């Protein structure tokens, strides 16, 4: 596991992780702009001139999946990263479901992480017939939006559901992003929306 992934996981563990990630995102954006300007002037050539949080998330997911199982601390990293990812998603933060650069879906990893979240959120209720406690899992209602490029899909989802999908003039969403939104009043037994932004 790389030092960058370990540091990223440490950030996710902190109570103010969202603020730190926001600041990190701003710094990475500034770094990308500087490298891009230098490349256009011919000062320095870089094979990868994009630096952003998505790349850190991808690296962490790859370490979660392909990290050496026999390496020291990997089992602890897996448990810790899964817990941190679930906490991040529960806060309603957006996460990349399909990598828009490589069209890669970390299906087993994301499914594993989301199923841990789902199990964590399942509720214990008493059965009316027997009086025994049973665990009831409530699947989220999935909402997605599709439409022409730059037509305001992310902005609409942010406005309707209070999501935090990135928006700006000329920005194009690459891949598929998701966010979990809680409902104050359950609908059809579910108290959450899983919102997909394309």
């Amino acid at each position: 596991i790389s030092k960058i992934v370990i540091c990223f996981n440490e950030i996710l563990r902190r109570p103010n992780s969202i603020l730190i990630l926001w600041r990190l995102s701003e710094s990475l954006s500034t770094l990308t702009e500087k490298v891009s300007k230098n490349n256009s002037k011919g000062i320095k050539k870089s094979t990868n001139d994009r630096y952003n949080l998505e790349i850190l998330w991808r690296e962490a997911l790859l370490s979660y999946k392909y990290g050496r199982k026999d390496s020291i601390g990997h089992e602890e990293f897996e448990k810790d990263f899964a817990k941190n990812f679930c906490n991040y998603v529960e806060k309603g933060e957006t996460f990349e479901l399909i990598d828009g650069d490589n069209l890669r879906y970390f299906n087993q990893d994301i499914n594993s992480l989301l199923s841990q979240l789902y199990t964590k959120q399942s509720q214990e209720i008493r059965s009316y017939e027997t009086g025994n406690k049973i665990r009831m899992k409530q699947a989220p209602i999935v909402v997605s939006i599709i439409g022409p490029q730059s037509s305001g899909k992310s902005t609409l989802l942010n406005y309707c559901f209070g999501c935090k999908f990135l928006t700006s003039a000329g920005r194009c969403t690459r891949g598929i992003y998701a966010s979990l939104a809680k409902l104050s009043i359950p609908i059809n037994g579910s108290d959450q929306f899983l919102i997909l932004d394309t």
Side-chain angles (χ1 to χ4, degrees), residues 8 32 46 50 58 67 74 77 95 97 119 160 175 181 184 189 192:
F8 184 62
T32 298
S46 173
R50 287 184 53 239
R58 291 173 199 163
H74 188 273
F77 168 77
F95 60 98
L97 198 57
T119 302
C160 290
S184 55
Q192 295 176 338

Side-chain angles (χ1 to χ4, degrees), residues 2-198:
S2 71
K3 290 181 180 179
I4 292 173
V5 170
I6 292 169
C7 290
F8 184 62
N9 195 41
E10 287 294 323
I11 290 171
L12 292 175
R13 183 182 296 147
R14 295 179 181 221
N16 61 342
S17 62
I18 304 305
L19 177 62
I20 295 171
L21 288 175
W22 179 77
R23 286 183 178 167
L24 178 60
S25 178
E26 292 294 312
S27 297
L28 291 171
S29 179
T30 303
L31 177 63
T32 298
E33 288 175 20
K34 285 181 183 178
V35 169
S36 182
K37 285 179 185 175
N38 287 342
N39 283 347
S40 66
K41 293 177 184 176
I43 295 173
K44 180 182 178 184
K45 295 290 180 191
S46 173
T47 55
N48 183 6
D49 61 352
R50 287 184 53 239
Y51 305 97
N52 55 36
L53 284 181
E54 284 85 7
I55 292 172
L56 290 174
W57 276 112
R58 291 173 199 163
E59 184 74 23
L61 281 168
L62 286 170
S63 295
Y64 178 77
K65 180 175 184 172
Y66 296 113
R68 291 187 49 198
K69 306 295 182 198
D70 60 343
S71 64
I72 297 171
H74 188 273
E75 189 175 323
E76 291 82 19
F77 168 77
E78 277 186 341
K79 290 177 186 173
D80 198 36
F81 179 73
K83 178 182 161 201
N84 293 336
F85 179 84
C86 289
N87 290 338
Y88 179 82
V89 171
E90 275 186 312
K91 293 175 185 174
E93 297 299 320
T94 62
F95 60 98
E96 189 177 46
L97 198 57
I98 294 182
D99 171 358
D101 295 324
N102 305 306
L103 296 178
R104 180 180 184 150
Y105 172 48
F106 296 99
N107 59 338
Q108 293 175 337
D109 313 309
I110 295 288
N111 287 344
S112 168
L113 292 167
L114 290 178
S115 69
Q116 289 180 42
L117 176 65
Y118 189 51
T119 302
K120 177 182 170 188
Q121 291 182 339
S122 64
Q123 299 178 347
E124 279 193 353
I125 60 170
R126 289 200 176 271
S127 167
Y128 289 111
E129 293 127 16
T130 63
N132 297 332
K133 283 188 178 180
I134 57 171
R135 288 185 78 78
M136 180 179 172
K137 295 183 180 180
Q138 300 174 346
I141 297 168
V142 179
V143 176
S144 184
I145 188 168
I146 57 174
Q149 181 178 332
S150 298
S151 59
K153 298 180 294 293
S154 301
T155 303
L156 179 64
L157 290 172
N158 288 345
Y159 182 76
C160 290
F161 298 102
C163 300
K164 301 172 187 171
F165 296 118
L166 293 177
T167 59
S168 67
R171 184 183 186 281
C172 179
T173 301
R174 297 165 69 172
I176 297 178
Y177 289 81
S179 180
L180 200 63
K182 296 199 183 278
L183 297 167
S184 55
I185 301 171
I187 298 174
N188 294 335
S190 181
D191 63 348
Q192 295 176 338
F193 279 125
L194 179 64
I195 299 138
L196 304 178
D197 184 24
T198 58

